Amino acid sequence: MWFRRSPLPDDHRRALPLARGERILAAAELHDERWAVATTADLVVVGPGAGDVVARRPWCDVDRGVFDPERSELSIEWVDSAPDTVLRLVDAERTSFPQALRERVQWSVVLAETVAVPGGDVKVAVRRTADGQFFSQAVAGPGVDLDDPRVARVVDATESRVRGASGLPV
């Protein structure tokens, strides 16, 4: 499949605020007349009006994205337990947006380890921001209480291990 320049309309492209050095990687028209835009820094949802940014989140806030090709639907889960974002693409075959989303999320993950704790699992990761800064995060699965001392001990030890392995101070 050959991809051309992102199909984002020119008025949206011109009005989309981009930081210095930030580029648009892909865009996809959505069924509700909005546009999903993958930039080098963020996942952006632009409303039907040019420059109307509805949502903007950095890639390191995405826990995971799942693409259902039969429904042309992307479901995005966030690290902060915000409600999932569901993006219904008008024509998934004519955009590289799902691929760009996958690549940017993978780029943001430097190192990750999932550990079993009382109540479920916790994913501990070192992530990268758009400007290259490393930081660690712990994402608890359903039913996990991060304030439980037994959980906190395991998460702290895992975080120290992944931070040390990635060169961050422990």
Side-chain angles (χ1 to χ4, degrees):
M1 178 184 324
W2 293 94
F3 295 110
R4 56 184 171 74
R5 187 177 124 161
S6 108
L8 186 66
D10 286 340
D11 57 340
H12 284 64
R13 178 184 298 279
R14 282 189 301 272
L16 185 64
L18 298 175
R20 183 179 179 150
E22 184 178 11
R23 294 179 302 112
I24 294 174
L25 301 173
E29 185 177 8
L30 305 177
H31 276 278
D32 58 6
E33 298 182 12
R34 298 180 305 160
W35 284 82
V37 181
T39 76
T40 50
D42 298 321
L43 168 61
V44 185
V45 178
V46 181
D52 179 21
V53 175
V54 176
R56 185 177 195 129
R57 303 274 309 256
W59 294 112
C60 57
D61 282 356
V62 177
D63 186 29
R64 59 180 259 168
V66 177
F67 180 60
D68 179 348
E70 300 221 356
R71 298 176 69 185
S72 289
E73 191 172 272
L74 268 164
S75 181
I76 299 162
E77 297 175 20
W78 304 100
V79 297
D80 61 4
S81 300
D84 292 358
T85 298
V86 177
L87 304 172
R88 292 193 60 231
L89 295 104
V90 169
D91 189 354
E93 292 182 11
R94 294 185 53 88
T95 180
S96 60
F97 184 82
Q99 179 70 21
L101 181 138
R102 181 178 187 271
E103 289 172 359
R104 293 315 292 174
V105 172
Q106 286 182 330
W107 176 86
S108 77
V109 178
V110 176
L111 185 63
E113 185 176 330
T114 301
V115 292
V117 296
D121 293 325
V122 174
K123 182 172 21 178
V124 179
V126 170
R127 302 285 298 261
R128 176 186 296 132
T129 63
D131 64 359
Q133 298 295 310
F134 286 8
F135 70 98
S136 57
Q137 66 184 193
V139 180
V144 175
D145 178 8
L146 290 173
D147 292 327
D148 178 330
R150 299 170 300 161
V151 172
R153 276 192 299 278
V154 173
V155 170
D156 289 347
T158 305
E159 186 174 19
S160 290
R161 189 168 49 256
V162 296
R163 285 179 66 88
S166 64
L168 285 174
V170 291

